Each structure stands twice: as C-alpha cells, then as structure tokens.
Amino acid sequence: MTYLQKLNSLVAQFETLLGALLAFSITILILLNVITRSIGNSLFWVDEAAISAMVWMGFLGASVSLHYRQSVAVTILTEALPSKLARQFGHIVDFCVLVFAIVLLILTWLWFDPLTLASYNFDTKAFSSNTFNFIYSEATTTLGFRKFWLWLIMPLFSCTLTLHALTNLFCPKETSSYQSGDVPLNDQTKD
Amino acid sequence: MVAVSFAFFLFVGVPIALVLALTAMVYIFISGNEVLFLSYPQQLYGGLEKYGLLAIPLFMLVGELMNEGGITQRLIKFASVFVGSVKGGLAYINLIANMFMAAIIGSTNAQIAVMGHIMIPEMAKRGYDRNFATAVTAAGGLMSPIIPPSMLFVIFGVLAQISIGDMFLAGIIPGLMMGASFLVVLAILGLYYEYPSEKKMGLRDSVQSIIAAIPSFSIPVVIIGGIAFGIATPTESAALAAVASIIVGTVFHREFKPQRIPAMLIRLLSNSAMVLFLVATANVFGWIVVYEKIPQTLALHLQSLTNDPFIFMLLLNLLLLFIGMLIDAIAALILIVPILLPIAITSYGIDPFHFGVVICLNLVIGLLTPPVGTALFVASNISGCSPAGIMKPLTPFLIAAIGVLIVISWQPQLVTMLLTQQ
C-alpha cells in the first residue's frame, strides 16, 4: 500500500467517524428541541445546530461515498460494455470526480481568499470593506459565532475529495463500482 | 453544448450528483457568467440548509432501529391473524404487512430489502412460485414512498417549498388506494395461480399475536399522529419515532442490541449522504434552469398542445414513466420538479400537493421497471430470481398502480381531501 493510499484510508476513516457522530448528534438535538419546547423552555439555537450538523454530515458522507464509488449513477451503458472498455469508462468517471474536486478546491480558495486576508493582518473588517467579500463578517442566525466556521466544510470537502479522487485514479484497487440505485437501507443490517 | 456535456457525464456513469454539479460548471464557463463561480461553493452549502431535509436521516434511522428491534416480524404475525386462514393467505399477509411497514419506512428499496429477506423464503417454503413471491413483495414495496412517511415526499416538499406534513397527509388516500388495488389483483391472480392454503390460527395464538404487535404500532402512531394533530413537525416526529423504536425493541421485544448502534450510524451516514449530496448539487444545477428560462420555454410548447390540466397530467405521466425507467426516482425528482412545477401551477392551475403525489407515484413505478429499476434489482438480488422472471407476475400489479395513478391524476380531491378538512 502506497503512502497516498494509507493517507486516503485514514482520511476516509476520520470522515466516517465524524459523520457518524454528527448523525447521532442530529437525533439528540431534535429530541432536545421537542423536550425543551414541551416544558415551555425552547432552546432557540437547536434548529440551526441540527441543520449545520446535517450539512457537515452530508458532505463528509458524500466524500466517503465517492471514495468507495458508492454513489448513484446511471450504469445502463457501462453495464452493456465489454469489461475492458467498462474499466476505461471507470477511469473517465474517476477523472471527472477529480476535475470536480480540483475546481471546487480552487473556488473555495478564491472564496476564503486566505492570502488577501493575511495581507490585511487578519483584520476581517478591512478585508470585507476592501474586497467586498463578506465571508468573514457574516454571522450565524442563532449560534453566536461567524458563519465561516461552518462554511469550512467546503474546503475540507474539496481537499478530501481531491485526495480520494487522486487515489482512485492513480492507485486503482478492487472497490465496488458505481451502482444504479441507492444502497438498500437494511439489506446488510441482519446477519 | 450544455445538453451534450450533461448526456456525456450521465451515460459515461458519473455519479448523478456530480453530473448536476459538473454540468453547472460547464454552463457557467460557456455562458460567461463567471461571477457565478464565486458563489458556487456557498450555493452548494446553501442547498442543504433546509430544516425539512433533517427528516431524511431521521426517517432512515427509524427504519434501521425498527429492523434491529424485531418489529417487522411482529407486524407480519399481526397481519396473519386476519388473513392467514384464507387460500393464499401468506400472499395477502405479505401485502398487508407491507402496508404497515410503509407507515414506518419511507423508501421502496429499503422496504423490499427488509420484507424480501423474510417473506420470499417463507412463501417459497409454503409452495408459492418464487418469482410470484418476489413480485408480491416488490409490489408491496411500491407503497412505501406513498403511504407516509416518504423520502420522496420530503424531497418534493423541500424543492416545492410546501409543508412536508401536509404532503404526508396527501399521500394517505392514494397509498390506501394502491394497497386496495393490489389486494384485488392478488384475488384475481388467485384464479390462475394455485395458492396454497394456510392453517387457521388458534384463538390463543391470535390474541398473543395481536398483543405482541401493539407496541410496534406505537411507531406509525407517533409519526402520523404527531404530524396530523400538529404536535410535532415531520422531523420531530421522526426523532420521536426513533426513540419509540428503541423502547419497543429494548423493553418489549428485547432484541435491540446497543452494540449495533455504531454500524447502524455508519450505514445511516452513507445512505443519507447520498441523497443529501444530490439535493446540494441540484441547487447549483437550478441556475441552468433559471437562467435558461427552461420552464417558460417548455410551458409555451406544452400550452400549444393542450390547455386541459388532465391532458397535461396524462402527458406528464407518460414522460415521467419513461424518465423513471432510466433515472433513479430521487434524481429524477430533483431534475424535474424545478422545471415542471412552475408550469403545473401557473399555466394549468394544478395544486402543488396533487402534482407532488402524482409525480412521486409515477417515479416509484419506474423503480420496478427495467432497464434502471433499482428496486427490481434489489428484489432480484434478494430472491435470486431473474428480473425477467419477476416481471411477468409483477406486471398486473404495475398495471394496477398505473390505474391508480390515472385516477389520482383525474381526481385531485383524492389527494387534497384530507388537507381541506384541516
């Protein structure tokens, strides 16, 4: 196993762990909302926290799914092809995932614009007024901190996806191919 | 060029979520609207910032917990009390238990996977043709996204910006109509197939089965009751149903094992992220729909064909049955709703709930038709029968479902009846 594959596997494990914890936290937060509301003491920040947890979970899970090639795809054509040609199509798919990941990485870099922010000595007010990029000044509605902390999932997602796509393209190994439907929810549940 | 790149990505086998995201990138590049690139990541993030979407992971969790807690078996036994002794009883049990399950699970594939593992071997053991047993189970799964809760209804509600709770209520009558039509089909098929007879259940066993199933019914009661009486939002009722599933599985059935929770959460992450990422990328794809004025252009063409809402619905049904054969239901919903919903509402005055139920029922039928019938392949995979073998006994059920679809398209009040009474 190459270093790239080892790193890739570690990152995928980290994403899975964090994503599963967030999935658990969503349930707890919504229950907390029901309980606090029923005793007449609603916590106003819970909804936004649950939504943010879901967004993070969605992108972490998407990155892992693309890593394992488990996303929903139309495979009607590739299934009809001879296996050698189908493998070539698989490389094209991996390349398309890589292109998406790299473009997204560039776009999030431009959006966060860290070098310009550094040139203003991390003064977010000066950065916003001079660049008209308000990423660092927008606040969350109820959570009490700046929204860019939540938006950090986008650079994280584009970085991990780039790593997964690079590994899938250049260190091919036996992983499941893209499937033409959502993974049946419970078909692996019972042994 | 945009259409060509869309078709290329789609048929090469790029994941559908990325087909949408990449096509949007190509569109921005070609149209020269580079300023859109600057808000691209934010738009992707914003696609998921919707409260209603929280229902997706939570309803998936309920399905997982219910399966772990032995609830399915109790519901099947409950159904057998009422129809077990009639000729072909097990086939009726299969359909009725599927109706109960549909009130808990919101996805056809998930329901066929759960029910298929139990009912297909059981029916085959009692002498039913294996293809027939698989077809009945697969048809039962069709009710899952129509009888609330429904994953498709949640996504439609979010896309159409209408109440998900009301969308669930709108699905009740069409779902029951589907169930009833399938029972009629089963009775008619009984004239041709030699159904095996079942032993009559004794009074003691019957009472025991009913008592054992009572805790399981708390789950659909929590979900539908919570929404119908305005006690909880669909999202909250899903979280409450998750708690109810744990209590039922632990206290009453003693089958739920907490050590299985981590594996369950990982499956939940994988399954829900696939849907959520699709919704996120649909948000950037929506730019193409808006900037290219696709609904307006299409509306002009459609209005030159007909001004009658029912004829429009029939044309829509034909188009969707075709699309549903090629594309996964959730992906198709995400692609179609932003284009066709504005036309349906503004040009033909169709109620959005009516439109939603028709479109979802239609796409669900596509799940069981080749060449891209994902649920058909799930059923085939579980039973070991070929898709072609299943299709023959399945066809009468699909015809019945299309019949229900036409009736619902014709009579909108069947969908909106429960809403107007509120």
Side-chain angles (χ1 to χ4, degrees):
Chain A
M1 192 186 256
T2 64
Y3 286 115
L4 185 64
Q5 281 171 310
K6 270 186 195 163
L7 178 67
N8 188 42
S9 167
L10 272 175
V11 168
Q13 280 175 30
F14 167 75
E15 287 173 307
T16 307
L17 182 69
L18 185 58
L21 283 173
L22 288 167
F24 181 72
S25 71
I26 291 168
T27 318
I28 300 297
L29 284 167
I30 296 296
L31 285 172
L32 187 66
N33 206 14
V34 178
I35 294 165
T36 53
R37 203 183 53 210
S38 65
I39 57 171
N41 193 12
S42 294
L43 296 172
F44 57 90
W45 52 268
V46 171
D47 279 351
E48 194 178 11
I51 292 169
S52 306
M54 176 189 64
V55 178
W56 272 65
M57 183 197 77
F59 283 107
L60 289 168
S63 175
V64 177
S65 295
L66 288 164
H67 162 60
Y68 289 114
R69 299 186 171 105
Q70 279 178 334
S71 298
V72 185
V74 172
T75 52
I76 183 172
L77 181 68
T78 49
E79 275 170 9
L81 294 172
S83 62
K84 206 173 171 184
L85 198 58
R87 224 172 297 133
Q88 301 295 329
F89 270 58
H91 292 317
I92 296 173
V93 172
D94 287 338
F95 180 72
C96 289
V97 177
L98 182 63
V99 168
F100 169 75
I102 291 174
V103 173
L104 191 64
L105 191 61
I106 296 167
L107 294 177
T108 48
W109 177 269
L110 292 173
W111 184 31
F112 277 77
D113 204 0
L115 293 182
T116 312
L117 180 68
S119 72
Y120 287 105
N121 291 324
F122 297 97
D123 179 347
T124 53
K125 273 189 185 164
F127 172 84
S128 302
S129 54
N130 286 298
T131 61
F132 298 105
N133 179 349
F134 298 97
I135 182 171
Y136 297 106
S137 48
E138 196 166 322
T140 51
T141 316
T142 55
L143 294 173
F145 55 80
R146 298 289 169 89
K147 193 145 186 190
F148 77 89
W149 291 108
L150 295 177
W151 283 331
L152 278 173
I153 184 62
M154 297 316 294
L156 180 67
F157 170 67
S158 47
C159 283
T160 57
L161 189 60
T162 305
L163 177 68
H164 297 322
L166 275 171
T167 317
N168 282 350
L169 189 63
F170 296 111
C171 311
K173 55 173 186 172
E174 289 301 310
T175 47
S176 57
S177 58
Y178 291 108
Q179 50 188 40
S180 59
D182 53 328
V183 170
L185 184 61
N186 292 307
D187 66 343
Q188 323 101 313
T189 321
K190 291 267 179 185
D191 29 39
Chain B
M1 182 66 187
V2 174
V4 171
S5 57
F6 176 82
F8 171 78
F9 293 135
L10 192 72
F11 289 107
V12 154
V14 172
I16 293 175
L18 289 192
V19 172
L20 303 181
L22 284 164
T23 309
M25 282 177 175
V26 171
Y27 172 75
I28 296 168
F29 188 73
I30 289 173
S31 66
N33 273 327
E34 269 96 11
V35 70
L36 289 176
F37 268 134
L38 294 177
S39 54
Y40 189 100
Q42 194 177 355
Q43 194 77 7
L44 211 53
Y45 184 99
L48 290 186
E49 264 189 312
K50 284 155 190 151
Y51 180 80
L53 289 174
L54 282 167
I56 292 175
L58 290 172
F59 277 120
M60 284 184 174
L61 179 67
V62 175
E64 290 273 349
L65 289 167
M66 186 211 60
N67 201 32
E68 293 285 337
I71 291 166
T72 316
Q73 297 281 7
R74 267 87 178 172
L75 290 177
I76 291 169
K77 217 148 180 221
F78 176 82
S80 68
V81 172
F82 299 97
V83 286
S85 59
V86 300
K87 207 168 182 203
L90 205 55
Y92 291 101
I93 291 168
N94 191 345
L95 274 184
I96 292 172
N98 259 302
M99 286 172 80
F100 296 146
M101 295 290 287
I104 301 171
I105 296 181
S107 142
T108 298
N109 287 359
Q111 183 156 321
I112 292 174
V114 172
M115 294 298 285
H117 280 303
I118 302 168
M119 291 309 294
I120 298 169
E122 194 62 32
M123 284 179 74
K125 207 163 74 188
R126 305 270 181 97
Y128 288 86
D129 174 59
R130 209 173 169 83
N131 282 325
F132 176 77
T134 312
V136 175
T137 313
L142 273 188
M143 293 182 280
S144 193
I146 306 302
I147 295 177
S150 157
M151 216 65 76
L152 285 178
F153 285 179
V154 171
I155 295 168
F156 180 83
V158 169
L159 292 172
Q161 296 179 7
I162 57 173
S163 156
I164 294 166
D166 282 348
M167 197 62 210
F168 280 3
L169 295 179
I172 293 178
I173 292 175
L176 293 176
M177 282 172 67
M178 259 177 101
S181 72
F182 288 172
L183 289 172
V184 171
V185 169
L186 206 52
I188 295 169
L189 287 179
L191 302 173
Y192 300 96
Y193 285 91
E194 196 53 45
Y195 292 152
S197 295
E198 302 292 328
K199 260 198 310 192
K200 197 171 178 357
M201 202 186 260
L203 183 68
R204 199 191 156 116
D205 277 351
S206 300
V207 172
Q208 273 179 350
S209 299
I210 292 171
I211 292 170
I214 289 172
S216 303
F217 278 105
S218 66
I219 298 160
V221 167
V222 165
I223 295 172
I224 311 220
I227 298 165
F229 295 108
I231 300 164
T233 63
T235 306
E236 288 170 350
S237 64
L240 290 171
V243 175
S245 307
I246 293 175
I247 294 171
V248 170
T250 315
V251 179
F252 294 98
H253 301 162
R254 298 184 183 179
E255 286 184 28
F256 180 76
K257 296 184 184 81
Q259 61 266 34
R260 294 182 78 110
I261 289 178
M264 225 163 55
L265 288 174
I266 290 171
R267 279 197 303 275
L268 177 65
L269 170 71
S270 159
N271 291 327
S272 53
M274 263 186 237
V275 179
L276 291 173
F277 189 50
L278 204 50
V279 176
T281 55
N283 213 35
V284 286
F285 186 77
W287 277 336
I288 302 175
V289 176
V290 172
Y291 279 84
E292 287 299 294
K293 297 187 176 137
I294 294 173
Q296 291 88 329
T297 316
L298 200 61
L300 281 176
H301 287 298
L302 278 169
Q303 279 181 315
S304 66
L305 289 174
T306 180
N307 281 319
D308 185 339
F310 179 57
I311 304 286
F312 166 75
M313 284 301 235
L314 286 183
L315 288 173
L316 178 75
N317 280 327
L318 278 177
L319 173 77
L320 291 179
L321 281 171
F322 176 70
I323 291 174
M325 285 179 189
L326 298 175
I327 305 178
D328 177 76
I330 290 174
L333 195 67
I334 284 170
L335 283 174
I336 289 161
V337 170
I339 298 172
L340 290 179
L341 182 67
I343 299 174
I345 294 175
T346 53
S347 305
Y348 293 95
I350 293 167
D351 182 90
F353 293 100
H354 179 218
F355 181 81
V357 172
V358 168
I359 204 171
C360 291
L361 175 54
N362 194 312
L363 291 173
V364 163
I365 293 170
L367 288 174
L368 279 175
T369 49
V372 193
T374 55
L376 183 67
F377 293 115
V378 171
S380 157
N381 201 19
I382 290 168
S383 64
C385 302
S386 71
I390 304 167
M391 270 316 283
K392 196 183 161 198
L394 184 63
T395 306
F397 293 101
L398 291 177
I399 292 170
I402 292 172
V404 172
L405 180 66
I406 293 170
V407 173
I408 291 171
S409 303
W410 176 44
Q411 294 293 334
Q413 61 270 33
L414 290 169
V415 173
T416 53
M417 198 185 292
L418 292 178
L419 302 179
T420 46
Q421 279 178 1
Q422 281 199 321

